[in-house]
Amino acid sequence: MKRIMVTGGLGQIGSELVPYLRDRYGRENVIVADIRVPENLEEIEPFVKLDVRDEEAIIRVIKENDIDFIYHLAAILSARGEQNPQLAFDVNIRGLYAMLEAGRKTGVERIMVPSSIAAFGPETPKDNTPNDTILKPRTMYGISKVTGELLGLYYWEKYGLDVRGVRYPGIISWKAPPGGGTTDYAVEIFYYALRGEKYTCFLREDATLPMMYMPDAIKAITQLAEAPSENLVHRTDFNVQAMSFSPGELVEEIRKYVDFEVEYRPDYRQKIADSWPRSLDDSAARREWGWKPDYDLPTMVRDMIENLRRKLGV
Ligand SMILES: NC(=O)c1ccc[n+]([C@@H]2O[C@H](COP(=O)([O-])OP(=O)(O)OC[C@H]3O[C@@H](n4cnc5c(N)ncnc54)[C@H](O)[C@@H]3O)[C@@H](O)[C@H]2O)c1
């Protein structure tokens, strides 16, 4: 039986990954670890308060709970990272190093570490971006993601610690709010639309970026987690494409359900978006572990609207 720990488990992805894993492996076998203590602790338990920069604490938690499988989601995301690059370095690079060392020393079987489209940079081809291409990001977040991809590969080849990851695009979901990324507009905008409020978008109307709906994000990470090792040529750096759209195209799709007003006022996040691809070539993920998304723009918007109407009671 797997014993799983999800670090950063209270975040946007953890909030949906944890229930999925608990359904599959049993509630008591999936431990949530986060630096924040949740208000609804009873609903979240088993929970441990853990700072991923503290290697000794990680080792203690792994041993006390017999953990053999880790989803390492604790991170500072792109926009927050540009406001506090030192914190992003600390949590994303030092924290990952502490996690890898703890994994190596305790003999953990596998660590899933999401990378991001932020690993790419302005010199990377923007359309149908190849899996193996130029990685020269200019954000601290992106630098931490390239470092994570390389460190993960190093620990696999040097120590046999099986580290795997996909390069997530912007993730859209309705259960938990996003944690400070450049694509957060694509979640926020639904709340404004459904409340009939005007939305001021921090990206340009034509800023096309790759995006993914949460069910596909969960599918990608769990499918890769279970892929036979011998099928993997890549390991820590899989492109995964689901849909690409601009704020203007998203607004047009949402207006099929509700009318609302939008103004575009790009801020510092536009510069981050400008350095990222518009779409990705994910043939390596398709070939090596059978990746295939279920949602495109129209089906994602329909599902978001349905669920948020229920959640917000509008
Ligand atoms: N959400 C996206 O759009 C997206 C896109 C690309 C990649 N990713 C990657 O997926 C992973 C999860 O992202 P998310 O969207 O769930 O992030 P999030 O910001 O919603 O959640 C991160 C969680 O980490 C916790 N955390 C922060 N510092 C910590 C520390 N020192 N120790 C322990 N916990 C700490 C936070 O409290 C938070 O609950 C990250 O690696 C992120 O880079 C996310």
Side-chain angles (χ1 to χ4, degrees):
M1 194 41 156
K2 277 196 181 65
R3 296 277 299 165
I4 302 172
M5 170 165 73
V6 183
T7 73
L10 299 178
Q12 186 192 10
I13 297 177
S15 299
E16 304 210 28
L17 177 65
V18 167
Y20 174 90
L21 293 173
R22 283 183 171 167
D23 275 353
R24 268 186 95 172
Y25 299 106
R27 185 186 179 106
E28 66 289 356
N29 291 316
V30 181
I31 286 133
V32 176
D34 205 292
I35 198 165
R36 298 183 272 149
V37 177
E39 279 165 22
N40 54 341
L41 186 59
E42 267 175 36
E43 283 167 44
I44 302 291
E45 275 172 338
F47 172 86
V48 285
K49 186 173 189 297
L50 177 69
D51 184 338
V52 294
R53 291 166 292 185
D54 185 345
E55 187 191 315
E56 273 177 33
I58 301 173
I59 290 176
R60 197 170 55 242
V61 173
I62 289 174
K63 285 186 176 163
E64 279 172 4
N65 295 282
D66 278 330
I67 300 294
D68 52 17
F69 207 109
I70 297 168
Y71 286 84
H72 180 58
L73 306 183
I76 305 299
L77 271 68
S78 58
R80 233 188 120 200
E82 282 319 277
Q83 289 175 323
N84 193 344
Q86 291 72 24
L87 179 67
F89 182 94
D90 218 32
V91 174
N92 299 4
I93 296 182
R94 261 192 354 108
L96 175 64
Y97 179 68
M99 180 56 68
L100 292 172
E101 277 295 283
R104 173 180 77 80
K105 289 174 186 169
T106 54
V108 160
E109 180 196 330
R110 196 161 298 165
I111 308 183
M112 302 303 295
V113 183
S115 185
S116 160
I117 55 165
F120 301 115
E123 290 86 1
T124 310
K126 285 219 176 302
D127 296 301
N128 211 21
T129 302
N131 209 98
D132 303 305
T133 183
I134 303 166
L135 300 176
K136 283 173 70 180
R138 303 296 205 282
T139 60
M140 185 58 89
Y141 177 68
I143 292 167
S144 77
K145 288 300 175 188
V146 174
T147 308
E149 291 182 3
L150 293 173
L151 276 177
L153 187 60
Y154 184 84
Y155 272 70
W156 164 243
E157 290 184 346
K158 179 101 175 164
Y159 301 114
L161 175 59
D162 193 349
V163 184
R164 303 181 180 186
V166 296
R167 289 177 178 143
Y168 275 138
I171 307 294
I172 298 157
S173 67
W174 57 271
K175 282 188 187 150
T182 302
T183 52
D184 290 8
Y185 89 85
V187 176
E188 284 167 11
I189 197 166
F190 282 93
Y191 288 82
Y192 284 75
L194 285 170
R195 287 195 231 106
E197 291 168 14
K198 177 178 165 184
Y199 182 65
T200 304
C201 183
F202 57 75
L203 294 185
R204 270 196 333 260
E205 186 173 5
D206 64 350
T208 299
L209 289 169
M211 300 277 186
M212 183 178 285
Y213 196 32
M214 185 62 88
D216 279 331
I218 302 300
K219 178 175 167 179
I221 196 169
T222 51
Q223 212 172 313
L224 174 59
E226 281 161 25
S229 185
E230 61 275 18
N231 293 356
L232 302 182
V233 179
H234 299 79
R235 201 155 281 262
T236 55
D237 57 359
F238 285 100
N239 284 1
V240 278
Q241 170 75 19
M243 61 186 96
S244 288
F245 58 78
S246 64
E249 286 162 338
L250 178 59
V251 168
E252 205 176 301
E253 194 62 35
I254 297 175
R255 281 193 180 137
K256 290 181 183 165
Y257 300 86
V258 275
D259 198 22
F260 72 117
E261 210 188 318
V262 183
E263 186 191 357
Y264 296 93
R265 264 204 235 144
D267 65 14
Y268 70 99
R269 287 168 280 197
Q270 182 60 50
K271 193 171 161 222
I272 304 177
D274 284 337
S275 73
W276 291 355
R278 282 185 287 263
S279 65
L280 309 163
D281 174 353
D282 62 0
S283 49
R286 287 175 186 260
R287 199 168 49 239
E288 293 174 37
W289 48 275
W291 162 245
K292 195 169 159 293
D294 292 323
Y295 287 86
D296 59 10
L297 176 61
T299 50
M300 177 275 286
V301 169
R302 190 174 63 222
D303 203 68
M304 279 290 282
I305 300 262
E306 268 175 31
N307 281 299
L308 279 176
R309 273 194 173 135
R310 208 172 315 124
K311 180 179 167 183
L312 302 174
V314 292

